[in-house]
Amino acid sequence: MTQQVPSTEPELAGVRNFRDVGGLPTVDGRRVRHGVLFRSGHLAHATEEDAAFLASLGLHTIFDFRNAADQKLEGPDVDLPGVRNVNLPLSDPADGAEFWRMVREGDLDQLRAILDDGKGAARMIASYRAMVRHRTAEHSRVLHALADDSVPALMHCAAGKDRAGVSIAVTLLALGVEREAIVSDYLESGARHRRYKVRRSGSAETAYTPEVMELLDPLFDARAEYLQAAFASIEETWGDVDAYLTQGLGFAPEARARLRERLLD
């Protein structure tokens, strides 16, 4: 039997942005079942207490969307006995390596050059659109796994906002969850206590000045325009969600019915 998660959000000391996606409404009046689909930031810094809580969820599969560069920076996920770990990178380790080096090590002038005047937000929008267009094989694999046997499941990347956010959104679209509810769930990742803690070189006085943090904000914020860009990319490329699922992801109506049976009340 699936573990029922308390309605209050658990206090996890070393895992940020954890939550159960259960309770979100579908357009036909159903709701996502509690205790079957979770999302979070990476699990590399989970404490013993965090690991005990995660183990209590009865997870079947953890989908880790980080790439090799992320894993080198943060470390591997905590080991949870009996849980299948699937590493499915949604960005190439070399993609933007110089950009992220600048984010972590660059001085103010360098950060202004790559992030000022809306460039940071524009980069995020382009990234979300690309994830939908170019990562169809990965999203297909996730949906088929969930429809077949891989629940309860936890999806995470580094922050649990972008790569995991798009993957959760794709799953919720396949379940028929209301678009507004998908966006509302995504926006929760923008709360200050949920955000990824970027590690910058230098002293706190120089590395985390107000201007630096303002420049970095578009990268670590959850903004509706980012997820809306992913939705727009679906509609521009395939026409609508049904075509995206069947043509783009090869996710047949029969598989979608199995997914809904597993994840919806």
Side-chain angles (χ1 to χ4, degrees), residues 195-213:
R195 288 191 182 196
Y196 180 81
K197 291 183 176 180
V198 62
R199 287 180 268 173
R200 280 191 33 85
S201 59
S203 67
E205 291 76 19
T206 60
Y208 299 100
T209 66
E211 184 176 357
V212 165
M213 298 311 293

Side-chain angles (χ1 to χ4, degrees), residues 75-96:
D77 280 345
V78 64
D79 184 45
L80 299 177
V83 181
R84 182 176 68 142
N85 289 275
V86 176
N87 180 222
L88 205 58
L90 284 181
S91 59
D92 187 275
D95 180 36

Side-chain angles (χ1 to χ4, degrees), residues 110-163:
Q110 291 172 319
L111 291 178
R112 285 172 179 154
I114 62 172
L115 298 173
D116 209 0
D117 296 325
K119 289 192 285 288
R123 183 182 182 89
M124 297 303 295
I125 288 170
S127 173
Y128 276 59
R129 295 177 70 90
M131 268 192 281
V132 166
R133 287 196 309 272
H134 303 309
R135 297 294 178 169
T136 51
E138 291 88 343
H139 288 132
S140 175
R141 182 176 169 187
V142 169
L143 289 186
H144 280 100
L146 294 176
D148 290 341
D149 63 0
S150 300
V151 292
L154 168 67
M155 298 186 193
H156 80 80
C157 49
K161 173 178 75 78
D162 304 315
R163 290 165 287 186

Side-chain angles (χ1 to χ4, degrees), residues 55-113:
S56 77
L57 301 177
L59 294 171
H60 180 288
T61 300
I62 293 173
F63 294 98
D64 179 358
F65 300 121
R66 295 180 300 161
N67 58 45
D70 296 322
Q71 292 179 341
K72 182 179 180 181
L73 178 71
E74 296 144 2
D77 280 345
V78 64
D79 184 45
L80 299 177
V83 181
R84 182 176 68 142
N85 289 275
V86 176
N87 180 222
L88 205 58
L90 284 181
S91 59
D92 187 275
D95 180 36
E98 177 62 18
F99 173 85
W100 287 107
R101 186 195 68 77
M102 297 273 279
V103 167
R104 292 187 168 92
E105 302 174 13
D107 62 25
L108 187 55
D109 286 340
Q110 291 172 319
L111 291 178
R112 285 172 179 154

